[in-house]
Amino acid sequence: MNDGHDEFLDALESGDGYYLECTDGHGSLPPRVVCPHCGDRDLTETALPDTGSIDSYTVVHVPTPAFADEAPYVTAVADFGPVRLTGRVLADEESVEIGDEVSASVGGADESRSVVFEPR
Amino acid sequence: MIDPRVAGVGLTHFGSHPARTSRDLFAEAGLAALDDAGVDPADVEGVFYGNFMGEIAEHQGHQGPLMAEAIGVDAPATRYESACASSGAALRQAVQNVRNGEADVLVVGGAERMTNLDTAETTEALAIAADDLYEVRAGLTFPGAYALMAAAYFDEYGGEREDLAEIAVKNHANAVGNEHAQFQREITVEDALDAPMVADPLGLYDACPITDGASAAVLVSESYADEHDLDAGVAVTGTGQGGDKMALHDRDALAHTPAASDAADEAFADAGIGTEDVDVAEVHDCFTIAEVLALEGMGFFDAGEGIRAAAEGVTTRDGDLPVNLSGGLKAKGHPVGATGVSQLAELTKLLRGDHHNSEHVSDARVGVAHNAGGTVASATVHVLEIQE
Ligand SMILES: [Zn+2]
């Protein structure tokens, strides 16, 4: 159990993803009480844009034990405007390109739940 | 403010020593440093020790006192942890302590035991240097994180796997003759390009190996060196440290390492030097792309220009700026907590003239060490100068 992170994944899983927005418009991920970009303590949960674009990706061939059955798999950083997310891309490695549009959801179960991206 | 002198340095062989404990490794390096310095262990006032994953690798926390004991020193000892920059951070604290007059004689160093774990276990252990909730759980590994940086670099500035291979070839060539190095053999560009993928675009030869080893150095005040007639002509004249957001996705850009820029700016200003004054550098090439990011981050090359430095011979041992004459993390090996002080040891020997590659930098007077933690959320830079 990880307060803040669990609720973030619950919301993302049910299609109501959000990020934390400061009064200057910077985005970050919970749990946080301070904007990591400017120090603002006034953070509000703001709807995550439906579509992000892949900033960079890698095909992981040598995984940690938790992903032993998944490799090779694609992990990417995707830009959702005010906030970026890291997640596995649920697509064939050959088909992924920088700039591809993706939506964010949740993969895995229980303690291994994490952000995943699906091509749009 | 008087700069501390490097009175002595010591290293174990870096390589696969799965049955050796970190206390055993550090004892070898620490005693070698004390012997090299000619300093009585009874004079040592503190031990500043770097280690990253001791709890995971050998179920051992609280390693500071254990390491002081291992080298016969009865003095306060503290472990510093900043992932792969652990002993760079320890070094910085020791430098500041000698400078501000708190101590005249300190031992600084680090150790890591890694090869007693299998590859999957080591991959998991190294991954904890990243953000667990938002990076590791999403499948990101340590090589994977640097692969994201490499792919972003290629996308922004261009560059190919062949350019990275040239860096591996250079560093392997530099390690030939280094008795402490894990790989004392040359490789070719083809070897690197043909190696299995670890995390695309990084292959096995873009990655540093998994390594056991330890490093140590004895830092003394100028007055102590004079009183004891020590042969300690190399001084640490600049120290700097930078930090950044932990997760790559919280940074402004994936292909830049501003923590290294901040550390270098601080260290160079501290020493009163510029990039043009630097004769030789040891930089944190945990992956080939990391050497590029380090050199650009510290200002030796403009962004996008560092990728060709090895291929064009600028950073080879007879180039204008020889980089990683030790073999770097790539060929010398990367016992995580030992790496920062091992760079200090290599540079000290290069400046003193008793390094296996000294002949290539016989006039060198200024050396720079760059040590990075995680995906460079931590970085330290130190400047060493000959000061007879
Ligand atoms: Zn803000």
Side-chain angles (χ1 to χ4, degrees):
Chain A
M1 297 290 287
N2 295 292
D3 288 349
H5 181 248
D6 292 340
E7 289 79 3
F8 166 82
L9 290 178
D10 290 344
L12 190 59
E13 198 159 26
S14 59
D16 301 314
Y18 59 83
Y19 64 95
L20 302 180
E21 185 180 32
C22 79
T23 52
D24 277 347
H26 301 131
S28 61
L29 301 172
R32 288 188 191 274
V33 293
V34 173
C35 172
H37 302 286
C38 71
D40 187 5
R41 298 186 188 182
D42 186 2
L43 305 180
T44 53
E45 292 182 4
T46 303
L48 185 74
D50 291 336
T51 305
S53 76
I54 291 180
D55 267 0
S56 189
Y57 74 94
T58 178
V59 184
V60 176
H61 293 266
V62 180
T64 60
F67 291 92
D69 298 333
E70 312 278 334
Y73 59 89
V74 181
T75 288
V77 169
D79 188 340
F80 286 80
V83 71
R84 290 193 290 192
L85 300 174
T86 301
R88 272 181 304 133
V89 184
L90 303 181
D92 185 73
E93 60 178 86
E94 307 294 330
S95 68
V96 179
E97 301 275 1
I98 289 177
D100 282 358
E101 294 200 332
V102 293
S103 60
S105 57
V106 174
D110 302 326
E111 279 301 293
S112 70
R113 284 196 304 167
S114 66
V115 174
V116 295
F117 300 131
E118 293 179 68
R120 288 185 74 94
Chain B
M1 191 175 62
I2 307 282
D3 293 321
R5 299 299 181 100
V6 185
V9 297
L11 297 169
T12 64
H13 175 254
F14 281 13
S16 182
H17 304 287
R20 291 189 70 179
T21 59
S22 54
R23 71 187 81 182
D24 177 39
L25 292 164
F26 190 73
E28 180 185 338
L31 291 182
L34 286 164
D35 290 349
D36 186 38
V39 164
D40 184 346
D43 286 353
V44 176
E45 296 159 277
V47 176
F48 292 63
Y49 169 80
N51 172 266
F52 171 56
M53 48 182 266
E55 290 85 351
I56 296 171
E58 53 182 356
H59 199 243
Q60 185 64 65
H62 203 186
Q63 293 197 7
L66 188 66
M67 298 307 157
E69 187 182 322
I71 59 171
V73 164
D74 181 14
T78 305
R79 167 185 163 189
Y80 290 81
E81 192 274 303
S82 283
C84 317
S86 292
S87 61
L91 170 60
R92 177 168 161 79
Q93 299 306 312
V95 167
Q96 291 174 333
N97 268 257
V98 174
R99 276 181 166 182
N100 67 25
E102 290 284 337
D104 286 304
V105 184
L106 295 173
V107 168
V108 61
E112 207 74 59
R113 182 179 186 185
M114 303 178 74
T115 70
N116 58 323
L117 305 178
D118 68 25
T119 299
E121 290 169 331
T122 309
T123 301
E124 184 174 40
L126 289 170
I128 68 172
D131 183 327
D132 179 60
L133 293 182
Y134 287 107
E135 293 186 307
V136 183
R137 288 171 191 235
L140 199 61
T141 60
F142 187 44
Y146 272 90
L148 289 176
M149 298 166 91
Y153 186 100
F154 287 173
D155 185 58
E156 190 168 352
Y157 300 113
E160 298 173 2
R161 291 196 62 225
E162 197 161 3
D163 299 320
L164 298 179
E166 295 275 8
I167 296 167
V169 168
K170 167 181 75 72
N171 292 347
H172 269 264
N174 288 341
V176 174
N178 184 351
E179 61 177 340
H180 301 290
Q182 188 159 1
F183 299 131
Q184 299 169 38
R185 59 181 169 81
E186 299 203 36
I187 62 164
T188 65
V189 168
E190 290 70 34
D191 292 334
L193 294 178
D194 291 346
M197 274 293 172
V198 176
D200 200 334
L202 302 179
L204 190 60
Y205 281 40
D206 289 299
C208 64
I210 293 163
T211 312
D212 308 300
S215 62
V218 181
L219 298 188
V220 301
S221 65
E222 192 175 278
S223 58
Y224 182 93
D226 288 346
E227 282 163 26
H228 294 78
D229 200 23
L230 299 182
D231 181 14
V234 174
V236 183
T237 59
T239 177
Q241 185 167 357
D244 205 341
K245 307 287 185 297
M246 181 80 160
L248 272 178
H249 59 234
D250 284 327
R251 314 252 180 94
D252 291 337
L254 301 182
H256 299 160
T257 56
S261 306
D262 293 345
D265 288 349
E266 185 182 5
F268 291 5
D270 190 17
I273 65 156
T275 52
E276 68 281 3
D277 298 313
V278 176
D279 298 311
V280 59
E282 288 284 312
V283 309
H284 196 95
D285 60 325
C286 49
F287 299 93
T288 47
I289 187 67
E291 179 166 315
V292 178
L293 299 176
L295 293 171
E296 293 182 1
M298 288 192 289
F300 291 107
F301 298 92
D302 291 337
E305 302 293 320
I307 185 86
R308 296 282 301 157
E312 290 171 355
V314 180
T315 52
T316 54
R317 59 190 166 207
D318 294 312
D320 289 342
L321 178 68
V323 173
N324 285 329
L325 288 175
S326 64
L329 283 60
K330 173 71 201 82
K332 190 179 76 169
H334 181 30
V336 170
T339 287
V341 169
S342 79
Q343 296 173 322
L344 174 84
E346 298 281 351
L347 284 175
T348 298
K349 290 195 278 187
L350 283 162
L351 296 177
R352 292 194 309 208
D354 61 336
H355 190 274
H356 74 284
N357 274 324
S358 284
E359 62 181 302
H360 298 285
V361 287
S362 53
D363 297 329
R365 299 190 62 83
V366 181
V368 165
H370 159 281
N371 188 201
T375 48
V376 204
S378 300
T380 63
V381 171
H382 287 91
V383 179
L384 275 67
E385 294 185 68
I386 294 178
Q387 289 197 338
E388 298 303 347

